[in-house]
Amino acid sequence: MKISREEIVELEYKLIKGIKESDIHFLDKVLHNDLLFLAPNGQIITKAIDLASHKAGEMVVEELIPTIEEIKIIEDTAVVVVVYDTKGVMTGNAIQGRFRYIRIWKKFTDGVKVIGGSCFQL
């Protein structure tokens, strides 16, 4: 079950759309149940926390412009480095700037899912 670069690029852009639109159905499908993500403040974000913030309307994305810097394919897993120019609000706090993300995608029998990641402000 190898992953292709094209598949990952397409999923990254779909993920951006899902985040901007708070598309709970898509996010639920593409985030693995055991997701672990480290936020810039060091907080560990799980799938449940991420989905809850979208459901509650705590995440408002005004701008999310990606630049994919690197994609490494390792059989059924992909490691992606992407920089986002970001503007929005998260839990009442304004967020603006450039953030570098590392995101790990893995192919399962029911699709490709994000299993981990982290980001920090540049």
Side-chain angles (χ1 to χ4, degrees):
M1 282 197 313
K2 193 169 172 140
I3 286 180
S4 73
R5 182 180 187 347
E6 295 76 20
E7 185 176 21
I8 293 303
V9 169
E10 182 181 339
L11 283 167
E12 280 287 333
Y13 283 102
K14 285 182 177 179
L15 182 61
I16 292 164
K17 185 175 187 270
I19 291 168
K20 288 173 85 172
E21 296 175 359
S22 287
D23 183 343
I24 304 301
H25 177 73
F26 175 76
L27 295 173
D28 185 45
K29 178 181 161 188
V30 78
L31 300 178
H32 191 274
N33 288 339
D34 293 322
L35 168 74
L36 290 177
F37 185 89
L38 296 177
N41 66 1
Q43 180 183 4
I44 296 172
I45 306 295
T46 63
K47 177 179 179 175
I49 291 169
D50 194 3
L51 292 179
S53 72
H54 282 280
K55 287 177 185 172
E58 295 174 337
M59 183 178 283
V60 178
V61 179
E62 297 172 35
E63 189 173 278
L64 193 59
I65 302 167
T67 302
I68 295 175
E69 293 186 325
E70 194 156 347
I71 297 174
K72 292 288 185 189
I73 305 293
I74 307 159
E75 296 181 20
D76 66 350
T77 305
V79 180
V80 179
V81 176
V82 60
V83 172
Y84 290 108
D85 288 304
T86 305
K87 184 177 180 182
V89 178
M90 177 63 171
T91 61
N93 299 310
I95 297 173
Q96 186 168 355
R98 291 174 52 92
F99 293 83
R100 178 170 283 132
Y101 283 69
I102 188 165
R103 194 170 3 258
I104 300 130
W105 295 85
K106 183 169 175 58
K107 188 174 245 182
F108 296 91
T109 55
D110 62 340
V112 180
K113 299 180 184 294
V114 178
I115 61 172
S118 181
C119 76
F120 62 92
Q121 190 164 11
L122 297 174

